[in-house]
Amino acid sequence: MGTKKINYTITFLSDWHAGSGLSSGADADSVVIKDKNNLPYLPGKTIKGLLKDVFEDFKEVQPTLVNNDFIKTYFGNFNKKQNESHQGQLFFSNAELNKKEKSEISKEMSNLLYRNIASTKIGKNGVAENGSLRTMQVCVPVVLEAYIDGVLEEDIAKFDKAMKCIRHIGANRNRGLGRCKFEINKII
């Protein structure tokens, strides 16, 4: 059996924050990662890491479904003793807005995809602690498209299960951000 390409969508059901590691001065302490046209995206390596974590969990609970060889083949591994890394056979594209949306959103309009939220630490006396106000830029709910290339046909159902287990992406997932749904659209 040959390898297949899985086209999928990520539908965000709440605001989300995939951090760029940058700030925007006084405006926000942490900003969303954006492409050259100021549009949000998720790096393929982020999705790869999320899926690898799910498969690691599967391995712990259902070793007959997923084993070390499965994870090593698809995601690669690092051998600490020999200080060697081996690349997995998968390619993960970045998750981006679809082509039509990307072409219709001008740079000026792209700012409407983002907003800032603030939080602060409240002390024991019920008052905000000095210096604890933090502002984070979030992206409004959108639908992103991506693909994974190199999946063996017999393992597509496993990837479908794993994708359904990812229900939150990005920062502050435990505070309601990044709720999402993965769906396979097409297998080529």
Side-chain angles (χ1 to χ4, degrees):
M1 289 189 188
T3 62
K4 298 291 183 179
K5 181 175 170 181
I6 299 173
N7 292 328
Y8 65 94
T9 57
I10 304 169
T11 303
F12 282 94
L13 307 170
S14 67
D15 290 346
W16 57 284
H17 176 89
S20 65
L22 303 173
S23 72
S24 64
D27 191 36
D29 296 306
S30 181
V31 295
V32 174
I33 191 167
K34 301 171 190 143
D35 68 12
K36 64 183 179 189
N37 296 314
N38 199 42
L39 298 174
Y41 74 96
L42 274 172
K45 66 181 180 178
T46 299
I47 299 159
K48 177 181 180 179
L50 289 168
L51 276 173
K52 183 177 181 185
D53 281 348
V54 171
F55 282 122
E56 291 283 355
D57 290 343
F58 282 2
K59 182 181 78 173
E60 295 297 317
V61 196
Q62 277 188 300
T64 57
L65 180 69
V66 174
N67 59 29
N68 282 329
D69 288 338
F70 178 94
I71 293 170
K72 183 178 176 181
T73 299
Y74 281 127
F75 297 96
N77 74 327
F78 180 72
N79 185 327
K80 288 181 186 177
K81 289 180 182 177
Q82 297 175 356
N83 197 27
E84 290 179 348
S85 62
H86 301 278
Q87 183 176 344
Q89 75 181 38
L90 298 178
F91 174 80
F92 288 81
S93 75
N94 292 337
E96 304 173 327
L97 296 170
N98 70 43
K99 288 181 185 179
K100 184 175 187 241
E101 287 175 332
K102 285 170 75 169
S103 69
E104 292 178 356
I105 297 174
S106 68
K107 282 209 176 196
E108 297 78 30
M109 289 174 54
S110 67
N111 287 326
L112 298 173
L113 294 171
Y114 310 103
R115 66 185 189 94
N116 289 344
I117 59 173
S119 61
T120 190
K121 183 177 180 182
I122 304 298
K124 292 179 183 177
N125 60 1
V127 177
E129 291 188 7
N130 285 336
S132 69
L133 179 63
R134 303 228 356 113
T135 307
M136 173 189 285
Q137 183 182 62
V138 294
C139 184
V140 300
V142 294
V143 176
L144 302 178
E145 297 179 343
Y147 67 87
I148 303 168
D149 201 3
V151 179
L152 292 172
E153 193 169 358
E154 69 242 24
D155 292 329
I156 290 173
K158 293 176 187 177
F159 276 83
D160 187 39
K161 282 182 184 184
M163 293 167 120
K164 288 178 180 171
C165 289
I166 301 172
R167 308 197 33 138
H168 292 85
I169 295 177
N172 286 358
R173 294 182 288 219
N174 60 342
R175 297 186 181 248
L177 291 183
R179 277 190 327 116
C180 64
K181 179 173 75 170
F182 277 69
E183 292 177 290
I184 292 178
N185 296 333
K186 188 169 38 169
I187 298 164
I188 304 171

